[in-house]
Amino acid sequence: MHSKKIELQNLENTRDLAGIVNKDGYKVKERKLIRSSSLMRASDNDLIKLHDEYGVKTIVDFRSKQEIMESPDKLIGKQKLYVNTILKERAAGITHDKQSEKEIEIWEHQNPSPETAKNGMIRFYRQMAQDYSTVAYRNFLQHVLTNEETILWHCAVGKDRCGIGTVLVLSALDVDRDIIIEDYLYSNHCLHFNELKQENAKYYTDWVHLDYIKEYFQEVNALYGTMDNYLQNYLGIGKEEKQILKDKYLQRI
């Protein structure tokens, strides 16, 4: 069970979490929780569909200020946009500002080993469980908690920073870990459908991998003990907040 891909003209990795079922047998409501790549490339029809059909009124942008300055989101109507930068440092392979893209192009010409690329990505996944990112994700979850309309969150291509944001939302809704991982890995289908997998550096920077998400969970456990403790004591999602989220975003099957 994974999120449902929204068919759009220019956005390959925009998905509705609708239908994902939690441990108690409740499913995510339709057109309430949307994960996406940035809206910079959205066509006019894409924007209209997200606004009119899916009711997207609140957007949370996980990108850096430099990424946003170079490639601002396209908005429609009275949508509210919140900038919520997840990574403190530029991260070639994750952030997609011009300097990061230039660095990764140079890096690829140097023919780095797949292992080097993989280790670099794992380092950034660990960072997304650490202090700076924890503050940012706490702010994001407050938007999800207090939002009364459809909320969309995104990074550049919707796989890493957005992927971890989705992990936290689904964890707060008490979705089983295996389902959370399945949804995380579904980005590969959306972004690389019909592409051949090649054991090179680009494969480890452009695709999501089971090792990355496992490393993230291990870092959470190492720093905070459990995901529930992380949610409650560091991200502001205790029992009361969890119930608010469930009442707002879940329904009986």
Side-chain angles (χ1 to χ4, degrees), residues 142-161:
Q142 286 303 306
H143 288 306
V144 179
L145 185 68
T146 58
N147 180 64
E148 297 298 334
E149 300 170 306
T150 303
I151 185 168
L152 178 150
W153 59 93
H154 72 82
C155 52
V157 295
K159 67 182 182 73
D160 301 305
R161 292 165 288 182

Side-chain angles (χ1 to χ4, degrees), residues 42 46 60 83 126 168 175 202 221 224 246:
D46 292 341
V60 183
V83 174
R126 291 194 190 114
L168 295 172
V175 174
K202 199 170 181 63
N221 289 343
Y224 313 108
K246 290 176 182 179

Side-chain angles (χ1 to χ4, degrees), residues 125-131 133-134 216 219-220 223-224 230:
Y125 269 78
R126 291 194 190 114
Q127 287 182 12
M128 286 192 281
Q130 295 168 8
D131 291 348
S133 296
T134 291
Y216 174 78
E219 187 72 1
V220 168
L223 293 174
Y224 313 108
Y230 184 44

Side-chain angles (χ1 to χ4, degrees), residues 11 15 25 46 51 75 109 116 118-119 135-136 139 141 145 152 158 165 173 176 181 188-189 194 210 230:
L11 303 178
R15 292 136 61 181
D46 292 341
H51 182 275
L75 304 179
H109 281 305
T116 298
K118 181 179 179 180
N119 289 339
V135 172
N139 293 337
L141 288 174
L145 185 68
L152 178 150
L173 293 172
D176 185 80
I181 292 173
N188 287 336
H189 172 85
N194 281 340
L210 183 59
Y230 184 44

